[in-house]
Amino acid sequence: MHDVAIIGGGVVGCAIARELSRYKVRVVLIEAAAEVGFGVSKSNSGIIHAGHQSAPDTGKGRFDVRGNALFGQLADDLKFGFRRIGALVVARDREELPALQALQAQGEAKRVPDLEMWSANRLHREEPNLSHTLTGALYSPSAGVINPYECCFALAENAVANGVELRVESPVQRIERTPEGLLLHTPHERIPARFVLNCAGLYADKVAELVGLRDFTIRPRRGEEYLLDKRLQGLVRRIVYPLPTRLTKGVLIIPTFDGTMMVGPTADDQDDRGDVRTTEAGSAQVFDAVRTLCPSISARDTIAEFAGLRPVASTNDFIIGPTAVKGFINVAGIQSPGLTAAPAIAEHVVEILRAEGLELVEDAAFEPSIAGPTRFAMLPLAEQQRLAARNPLFARMVCRCELVTEAEVHEAIDHGARTLDGLKFRVRAGMGRCQGGFCTARCLELLSQRLERPLAAITKRGGDSWMVTGLASPQHPSAEEAGQP
Amino acid sequence: MPDVEHYTCLGCPMGCPLELVHEGDEIIEVSGHRCTRGTKYARQEFVAPQRNLSTTVAIHGARWARLPVKVVQPLPKERVMEVARIIHALRVEAPVEMGQVLLEDVLGLPGAAVVATRSMERLPDASG
Amino acid sequence: MMGRMEGRYDVVVIGGGPAGMAAAVGARDAGAGRVLILDREPEPGGILLQCIHSGFGLHYFREELTGPEYAQRFLEKVVDTDVDVLPGAYVSALAVDSDGDKQVRVMSETHGVSSVAARAVVMAMGCRERTRAAIRIPGDRPAGIYTAGLAQKLVNQMGYLPGRRIAILGSGDIGLIMARRLALEGAEVVGVFELMPYSNGLARNIVQCLDDYGIPLHLSTTVSFVHGRERVEKITVAPVDDHLQLIPSRAWDVPCDTLLVSIGLIPDNELAQRLAMRLDTNTGGPIVSSSLETSLPGVFACGNVLHVHDLVDYVTNESLLAGQFAGEWAQGVRRPVDNVRLVPGENVRYCLPHTLSPGRYHTLYMRAKTALQPCRIRVGNLLERTLPFVVPAEMITLKIRPDLLDSYQDDTLRIDIVPAEEGEPRA
């Protein structure tokens, strides 16, 4: 019997898992996809907001300042990239200045650190490539950027290292109520638990229905993002927001952690929970909006694009708390600023569990940090030589565009990568100029070899995302052995 | 009444546009070629079209799972897929030498040998 | 010797495909004592190893060979001329030290992360393919979208099909060759879609790859949307107008599970960019002198890394020359700086090399912007050549005799490709 079963391995589920691993409790983290973080958490702006943009009397506004503060230590411990590049909410004309001041007041009330109002002159000096028609800006130095999937992988890795069990490709299909608690049914097993945390993102309402609760629905809101050519790197140094609308924070300019400029997102409500298309209309909307902030950016500069879905609850706010079903706790509707809030939500949920009767004894053996992936390309030459001398696979290049070595690919597989995208998002193989043209074949070979599965069974990201199939003509029975130098 | 057939010569990458004038089965004239391969090609295409075939076969014990091969002479065009099926049923053991004959007279066509188009060494740790 | 890298070299060649192998042979023939080829694949041969079809070597070997045969025949030459070859070796950096020698940083399983010194370097790294992201096809992001070159490797070396029901975007030779290859291996190729009103590939490939297999070619048509959550389920294609704009009202859906993109090649110029080498935006490759020397003294370039070729025979010729010049440079030969700039004029997309000198043989390479038939190539007022046709897909070469520039006063020489009258005498 597990003490806690967490349904959903997104950033919230992983953060809670890691937080619970500080205590002597039996925790299992259950994820439907092939890798953690492959749902909502992978495809978003990657921003750790400062916190002044959400009202303090909402769930959304309750956790962001604390979450932001926790990210520094979290990134140090878990070795994922995090940079506080600062953010600007800009006013496009004089009429917008009062709203900017109101935002500052809201931020100060929430104790957002070091907010500063900038005049138009200051703004133009600091960010010369922004439009000269902007009339002012609210500067928040504590805002930053991460690669959200790195954060998920690291949280899950640390949780597992501290005793949390992880199940992937395990959608929860049925939940039974038992005398001791709840019994979760996945395609592979039945998992009994005293407490169940519903962190199921886009499907949180469906999971709640499994225990007979129907008091909220989730409707996806799609956001398209566009990545820009590297030659625009440094054009804008900070995250740039227009003033927020009722629905969203607007179309932003985001210098991502890797330095690539990104613009977006859009905000389109839809019913389909799997539709992550990018569209001509979305592109037009993004670039029209961005041009008013930074005239030098145009659609021609796009090198890649993607879309993510926000799990918007019918209350348009977070839904966090115990329910009428004993032991079943919702952590649902986590839209923006969910990434920022995740560490603080985790703390809060642990307190909810304590209040609901879970005994929480601190585990002295808890290890807060992980070694972090080797980023061979970033190491100084002497260190590269040392590593390669010990392990020659550090001198065997797999992805030439991002300079990823075979040893790093093996590390990623050791840490849980089971799919091509699992590799890609851990070590960046396939993310460069040639977009996997040269390294896909070798990555498939390595996954097949290490996971001891036929190469044709390796998928892009689980489910039905098969990559290749056998030739029509029958293969030599030992053909699998060839090609394994 | 003379008829005209239009062909693209497959003899080399230039792909000259050829015209073959014929009366029934009798060839009257070929034009459009820039070398003698063109006239030969046009005549053959008119009488009995041929195509070259290169493909791969399964190989065991080498670095790669496939060995590239070719048929050393052109085949009747309408039998190419049939020959491909026969070749695809072959199994080869490394090592193999470039030019090594894997199958003689495919489909009973004299001289239509299937040969390896590269050498492949046997890997030291290959089983069997 | 295969697998050896030690000591200092006169010439290091980066890349062991047809360009690199020819450059190495050219350098040895020019008298360079020690020559090394570094190739990142487990065996040299470059892209030829996966090009199992024939069409190679008609000029150079005087017979039509398959890619692997061409590669192996050339490798025999390389071994015969006592060149060191280190496979599985990736060049991660290049620097020039205070003596003017080049320090080449090499990563290989056998030699770890190490450095090798060379007097001269030849860049022969080839090219990469343009991707779906480059042309921004909207839609879902499923598995099953590959470049034609990746599909070729999967099929020809590893023995896997990229899918069973395949659509191909781009009618250049790679796309056409793969259409036939996949049909031969039992896949269903539903069609080849080409944005332009003409195919970029060789006419003979339209016949022997598409017509022979009943694969339709849809010109002036492109992919407007990719559908499929996890795996490609269908694509939406639509015709384009004279300005290459989509006509969405005439779009239609094509059920398939795979989309191959064959939409162009780009010289692999990452190293050149990091070295701040002067690049030609028309070719994507480095600017070179009549010795095929880049803006970095003693660093030469040839093959697809310099400009994308159609025929490997031309790659070989160009690379033998580059190797020769590199070999001479390594032995102290310094030619006077070129004093004539070659510039692309009317209907010329690019021309190479970028500068010329009087008193030397030159081979000029160029491509037309648009098809013309018949046409005249004008090299300033020095030379004219009439050709029955030019198409952008086929590179034009022109040999220049040493005396041609002898009395040329101007510092710029312009090449134009203009229409000729029908029936004009051929030069």
Side-chain angles (χ1 to χ4, degrees):
Chain A
M1 165 74 78
H2 288 90
D3 294 303
V4 184
I6 303 172
I7 303 179
V11 68
V12 171
C14 290
I16 296 173
R18 193 255 184 173
E19 194 61 23
L20 281 172
S21 73
R22 293 182 190 277
Y23 304 97
K24 294 184 186 174
V25 287
R26 266 197 80 193
V27 181
V28 58
L29 177 62
I30 307 169
E31 167 55 46
E35 313 265 359
V36 297
F38 264 24
V40 173
S41 298
K42 176 157 73 68
S43 306
N44 53 70
S45 308
I47 299 175
I48 306 305
H49 302 281
H52 49 293
Q53 284 139 308
S54 39
D57 56 349
T58 61
K60 291 193 269 188
R62 193 175 150 188
F63 300 102
D64 47 6
V65 177
R66 171 83 181 139
N68 180 304
L70 287 171
F71 254 94
Q73 185 67 53
L74 203 59
D76 281 345
D77 283 339
L78 300 182
K79 311 293 187 303
F80 60 85
F82 170 50
R83 202 172 288 133
R84 288 192 200 279
I85 60 174
L88 295 162
V89 182
V90 298
R92 278 170 288 203
D93 52 42
R94 304 217 68 79
E95 280 77 49
E96 287 196 335
L97 287 174
L100 212 55
Q101 280 148 2
L103 216 51
Q104 181 177 26
Q106 179 167 274
E108 278 160 5
K110 288 178 68 179
R111 303 235 268 259
V112 174
D114 306 321
L115 285 172
E116 262 177 45
M117 192 65 84
W118 286 3
S119 66
N121 281 339
R122 173 99 191 262
L123 180 61
H124 301 146
R125 237 179 23 245
E126 298 268 4
E127 294 281 2
N129 294 310
L130 290 182
S131 169
H132 281 230
T133 59
L134 300 173
T135 50
L138 180 61
Y139 171 58
S140 49
S142 62
V145 284
I146 65 171
N147 284 328
Y149 41 87
E150 275 180 23
C151 176
C152 287
F153 292 142
L155 284 165
E157 189 187 323
N158 189 219
V160 166
N162 283 305
V164 170
E165 290 172 47
L166 174 63
R167 303 280 192 277
V168 291
E169 291 193 298
S170 299
V172 173
Q173 298 164 322
R174 200 154 79 83
I175 304 181
E176 267 179 72
R177 299 175 72 163
T178 69
E180 298 84 27
L182 297 156
L183 185 63
L184 309 178
H185 293 247
T186 75
H188 314 293
E189 61 190 313
R190 296 202 234 159
I191 303 175
R194 286 175 57 203
F195 294 94
V196 170
L197 304 178
N198 178 12
C199 304
L202 290 167
Y203 295 91
D205 54 348
K206 301 289 181 205
V207 168
E209 272 178 41
L210 294 178
V211 291
L213 295 167
R214 282 175 179 71
D215 40 8
F216 69 93
T217 52
I218 300 284
R219 193 144 184 266
R221 181 172 295 151
R222 184 168 50 90
E224 300 179 30
E225 311 254 22
Y226 293 83
L227 290 138
L228 308 178
D229 195 299
K230 273 201 178 324
R231 78 177 175 81
L232 292 178
Q233 222 157 331
L235 189 73
V236 171
R237 287 172 46 207
R238 303 169 182 82
I239 306 162
V240 179
Y241 307 77
L243 279 161
T245 72
R246 203 181 47 79
L247 281 186
T248 81
K249 292 185 175 59
V251 173
L252 321 177
I253 301 174
I254 308 151
T256 66
F257 178 76
D258 305 309
T260 314
M261 299 289 294
M262 184 161 77
V263 292
T266 55
D268 294 301
D269 288 337
Q270 62 187 38
D271 293 310
D272 193 326
R273 301 179 203 228
D275 184 353
V276 284
R277 62 179 59 190
T278 51
T279 62
E280 291 286 343
S283 168
Q285 190 194 329
V286 164
F287 286 97
D288 284 346
V290 162
R291 202 167 305 120
T292 65
L293 301 177
C294 179
S296 352
I297 295 177
S298 88
R300 261 192 321 273
D301 300 314
T302 308
I303 55 165
E305 53 203 68
F306 66 92
L309 299 175
R310 308 165 183 81
V312 178
S314 32
T315 58
N316 198 29
D317 200 359
F318 296 170
I319 299 178
I320 303 177
T323 64
V325 175
K326 183 161 151 43
F328 189 88
I329 296 164
N330 278 326
V331 192
I334 312 297
Q335 52 170 306
S336 180
L339 184 64
T340 309
I345 293 175
E347 288 180 329
H348 178 67
V349 169
V350 168
E351 289 316 306
I352 293 177
L353 285 165
R354 198 196 302 271
E356 291 290 301
L358 178 64
E359 313 79 46
L360 290 167
V361 176
E362 286 203 16
D363 187 348
F366 174 73
E367 173 49 65
S369 49
I370 56 173
T374 311
R375 293 250 180 268
F376 192 82
M378 311 265 111
L379 298 173
L381 178 61
E383 183 62 16
Q384 290 182 339
Q385 287 169 325
R386 203 182 58 81
L387 276 177
R390 264 196 356 220
N391 179 358
L393 294 183
F394 272 114
R396 227 178 144 179
M397 192 63 79
V398 170
C399 167
R400 309 141 41 238
C401 300
E402 297 292 317
L403 300 177
V404 181
T405 64
E406 186 168 314
E408 291 165 87
V409 171
H410 284 290
E411 259 181 28
I413 298 174
D414 291 338
H415 290 153
R418 300 169 74 257
T419 59
L420 206 63
D421 276 4
L423 268 190
K424 175 174 163 183
F425 283 94
R426 280 181 174 78
V427 298
R428 301 188 59 79
M431 278 191 173
R433 296 178 308 276
C434 88
Q435 293 282 296
F438 280 120
C439 70
T440 296
R442 185 66 187 140
C443 287
L444 287 173
E445 277 182 342
L446 288 168
L447 282 165
S448 166
Q449 191 187 306
R450 290 291 312 276
L451 300 175
E452 290 175 2
R453 305 175 69 195
L455 198 146
I458 304 298
T459 62
K460 185 176 196 298
R461 51 172 181 266
D464 198 32
S465 64
W466 55 276
M467 290 290 293
V468 300
T469 182
L471 289 178
S473 51
Q475 285 291 295
H476 190 288
S478 8
E480 284 294 305
E481 294 176 34
Q484 309 288 345
Chain B
M1 263 304 308
D3 287 312
V4 184
E5 306 299 325
H6 296 276
Y7 301 130
T8 303
C9 183
L10 301 186
C12 85
M14 290 221 61
C16 298
L18 306 172
E19 278 187 9
L20 180 144
V21 181
H22 65 107
E23 191 135 4
D25 284 343
E26 191 191 324
I27 299 172
I28 297 172
E29 191 198 5
V30 174
S31 60
H33 53 285
R34 248 171 285 166
C35 80
T36 54
R37 248 174 302 180
T39 29
K40 281 201 221 104
Y41 175 81
R43 289 172 184 276
Q44 186 73 51
E45 189 71 4
F46 180 68
V47 169
Q50 295 178 329
R51 294 292 185 266
N52 287 313
L53 175 61
S54 52
T55 183
T56 64
V57 301
I59 183 168
H60 174 251
R63 175 187 304 283
W64 301 107
R66 307 298 292 181
L67 170 74
V69 303
K70 72 179 183 187
V71 182
V72 296
Q73 68 191 36
L75 298 164
K77 176 179 166 188
E78 72 280 3
R79 305 201 75 184
V80 164
M81 285 301 276
E82 198 186 334
V83 172
R85 272 193 291 276
I86 292 170
I87 296 177
H88 291 159
L90 291 174
R91 309 272 176 270
V92 175
E93 277 291 325
V96 166
E97 285 298 305
M98 180 166 79
Q100 180 174 326
V101 176
L102 305 171
L103 194 59
E104 301 260 19
D105 303 336
V106 70
L107 281 189
L109 299 161
V114 178
V115 303
T117 55
R118 64 163 293 176
S119 306
M120 283 182 106
E121 290 172 357
R122 189 172 189 80
L123 288 182
D125 51 343
S127 65
Chain C
M1 180 187 286
M2 189 68 65
R4 177 170 70 186
M5 178 178 77
E6 58 192 34
R8 303 165 51 85
Y9 286 89
D10 292 295
V11 179
V12 165
V13 180
I14 308 177
M21 290 195 287
V25 166
R28 284 288 288 142
D29 285 351
R34 301 200 72 226
V35 176
L36 169 69
I37 292 176
L38 296 166
D39 189 88
R40 64 173 182 253
E41 295 295 325
E43 50 183 351
I47 212 74
L48 289 177
L49 295 182
Q50 63 184 59
C51 296
I52 64 158
H53 51 282
S54 67
F56 306 90
L58 202 55
H59 298 246
Y60 190 77
F61 287 113
R62 299 216 194 294
E63 39 176 321
E64 215 178 317
L65 301 173
T66 62
E69 285 169 320
Y70 194 100
Q72 187 161 326
R73 297 263 289 255
F74 226 100
L75 188 58
E76 283 161 15
K77 266 187 187 298
V78 166
V79 166
D80 281 347
T81 47
D82 199 25
V83 168
D84 282 347
V85 180
L86 187 65
Y90 178 72
V91 171
S92 55
L94 179 62
V96 184
D97 65 24
S98 46
D99 299 321
D101 276 356
K102 320 292 177 282
Q103 292 295 329
V104 182
R105 175 97 47 80
V106 184
M107 292 174 58
S108 82
E109 207 178 343
T110 47
H111 292 68
V113 179
S114 52
S115 217
V116 64
R119 296 235 161 79
V121 166
V122 180
M123 295 191 339
M125 297 94 78
C127 58
R128 64 176 188 273
E129 297 176 276
R130 288 179 82 209
T131 64
R132 170 214 181 161
I135 59 172
R136 302 188 46 223
I137 307 176
D140 303 321
R141 318 180 61 70
I145 304 175
Y146 304 119
T147 56
L150 172 58
Q152 191 178 52
K153 186 181 186 78
L154 290 169
V155 175
N156 291 343
Q157 290 187 298
M158 296 168 66
Y160 294 98
L161 282 176
R164 294 218 181 275
R165 195 143 199 260
I166 304 171
I168 300 177
L169 176 62
S171 66
D173 287 318
I174 306 176
L176 299 177
I177 291 285
M178 281 315 291
R180 173 177 65 179
R181 190 75 194 99
L182 292 164
L184 213 59
E185 290 291 349
E188 185 191 346
V189 182
V190 297
V192 174
F193 302 90
E194 166 58 54
L195 175 73
M196 302 302 279
Y198 51 83
S199 161
N200 246 343
L202 298 172
R204 77 166 182 173
N205 282 337
I206 303 285
V207 172
Q208 65 189 2
C209 298
L210 300 188
D211 296 345
D212 280 3
Y213 291 87
I215 298 170
L217 172 63
H218 302 274
L219 294 175
S220 295
T221 309
T222 192
V223 177
S224 60
F225 207 90
V226 176
H227 304 260
R229 291 298 154 75
E230 298 177 327
R231 179 76 197 191
V232 173
E233 286 161 27
K234 65 181 181 188
I235 56 173
T236 304
V237 296
V240 298
D241 62 21
D242 292 339
H243 305 285
L244 304 183
Q245 297 302 304
L246 285 170
I247 308 172
S249 55
R250 291 172 45 201
W252 78 97
D253 284 348
V254 180
C256 57
D257 62 20
T258 311
L259 173 64
L260 295 193
V261 285
S262 174
I263 52 175
L265 300 169
I266 310 168
D268 207 351
N269 49 21
E270 176 73 10
L271 193 61
Q273 283 178 342
R274 271 191 274 139
L275 295 170
M277 227 172 239
R278 294 183 58 219
L279 298 180
D280 179 350
T281 47
N282 291 319
T283 57
I287 289 178
V288 292
S289 71
S290 57
S291 310
L292 298 177
E293 189 179 15
T294 67
S295 58
L296 213 61
V299 178
F300 299 77
C302 57
N304 281 344
V305 82
L306 176 57
H307 60 135
V308 174
H309 289 252
D310 331 300
L311 289 187
V312 75
D313 306 73
Y314 292 162
V315 167
T316 298
N317 290 339
E318 179 180 89
S319 306
L320 284 168
L321 266 182
Q324 173 201 326
F325 292 131
E328 290 172 355
W329 202 92
Q331 295 168 81
V333 172
R334 297 285 179 271
R335 293 172 190 275
V337 173
D338 291 336
N339 53 13
V340 178
R341 255 185 352 121
L342 190 68
V343 294
E346 197 178 315
N347 198 26
V348 177
R349 184 146 70 78
Y350 72 81
C351 49
L352 275 171
H354 298 82
T355 56
L356 307 172
S357 282
R360 303 182 61 178
Y361 282 97
H362 295 93
T363 305
L364 305 188
Y365 299 93
M366 66 199 81
R367 282 191 191 270
K369 275 190 197 156
T370 58
L372 261 188
Q373 70 179 85
C375 66
R376 242 181 303 147
I377 302 178
R378 268 208 303 255
V379 181
N381 56 359
L382 302 176
L383 179 63
E384 262 191 27
R385 200 67 41 98
T386 307
L387 292 179
F389 67 88
V390 288
V391 287
E394 285 172 37
M395 189 162 59
I396 303 154
T397 65
L398 204 58
K399 287 202 181 345
I400 302 278
R401 289 186 331 268
D403 58 317
L404 193 74
L405 288 168
D406 273 355
S407 19
Y408 193 70
Q409 297 300 330
D410 217 335
D411 57 5
T412 304
L413 184 63
R414 211 179 79 172
I415 300 196
D416 301 295
I417 302 178
V418 295
E421 298 303 308
E422 293 273 358
E424 270 196 20
R426 271 207 260 153

